[in-house]
């Protein structure tokens, strides 16, 4: 669910929509091409910028941003974020034998 939420934010950002994020999370969500530039850079200062942003990133950046996204006008992003915050997470069912009504 978290991956789908972040993909949706990146999609909206790529389409030019302004989507809230903390500065450290925003560095990675809004600058995909620049992140690759920083990774492949021979410039120590550029690599330091990348590492500094990465080292400051934590779960609080995700939760704070998701709380704002839960009220976003994009319904998909709002639902994913609201469910993430309220812990209504995707579930899977496991069992030894096949499920009825399905081809195994």
């Amino acid at each position: 669910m978290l991956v789908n939420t972040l993909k949706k934010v990146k999609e909206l950002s790529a389409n030019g929509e302004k989507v809230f994020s903390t500065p450290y999370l925003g560095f990675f969500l809004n600058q995909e091409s620049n992140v690759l530039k920083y990774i492949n850079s021979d410039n120590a200062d550029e690599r330091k910028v990348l590492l500094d942003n990465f080292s400051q990133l934590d779960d609080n950046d995700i939760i704070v941003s998701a709380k704002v996204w839960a009220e976003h006008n994009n319904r998909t992003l709002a639902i994913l974020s609201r469910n993430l915050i309220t812990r209504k997470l995707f579930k899977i069912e496991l069992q030894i034998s096949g499920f009825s009504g399905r081809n195994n």
Side-chain angles (χ1 to χ4, degrees), residues 48-102:
K48 184 178 181 328
V49 168
L50 176 71
L51 291 173
D52 286 347
N53 278 286
F54 183 76
S55 67
Q56 293 296 322
L57 187 63
D58 65 12
D59 57 334
N60 290 317
D61 293 284
I62 303 288
I63 296 302
V64 167
S65 298
K67 285 182 176 183
V68 175
W69 300 335
E71 302 299 323
H72 197 273
N73 62 358
N74 181 281
R75 184 175 171 164
T76 303
L77 178 59
I79 290 170
L80 285 169
S81 300
R82 212 173 6 256
N83 287 348
L84 188 64
I85 297 215
T86 59
R87 310 281 194 288
K88 292 181 184 174
L89 306 176
F90 295 145
K91 295 176 179 59
I92 60 170
E93 292 183 32
L94 301 174
Q95 66 183 41
I96 294 172
S97 61
F99 291 95
S100 62
R102 298 195 127 206

Side-chain angles (χ1 to χ4, degrees), residues 29-44:
L29 292 176
N30 302 323
Q31 300 187 30
E32 182 175 322
S33 61
N34 287 343
V35 170
L36 292 176
K37 179 188 97 174
Y38 288 117
I39 289 171
N40 296 322
S41 176
D42 292 332
N43 184 326

Side-chain angles (χ1 to χ4, degrees), residues 8-20 30 72-75 77:
K8 189 61 178 177
V9 171
K10 285 184 70 83
E11 175 189 320
L12 292 171
S13 293
N15 291 334
E17 189 164 339
K18 182 87 169 144
V19 182
F20 172 84
N30 302 323
H72 197 273
N73 62 358
N74 181 281
R75 184 175 171 164
L77 178 59

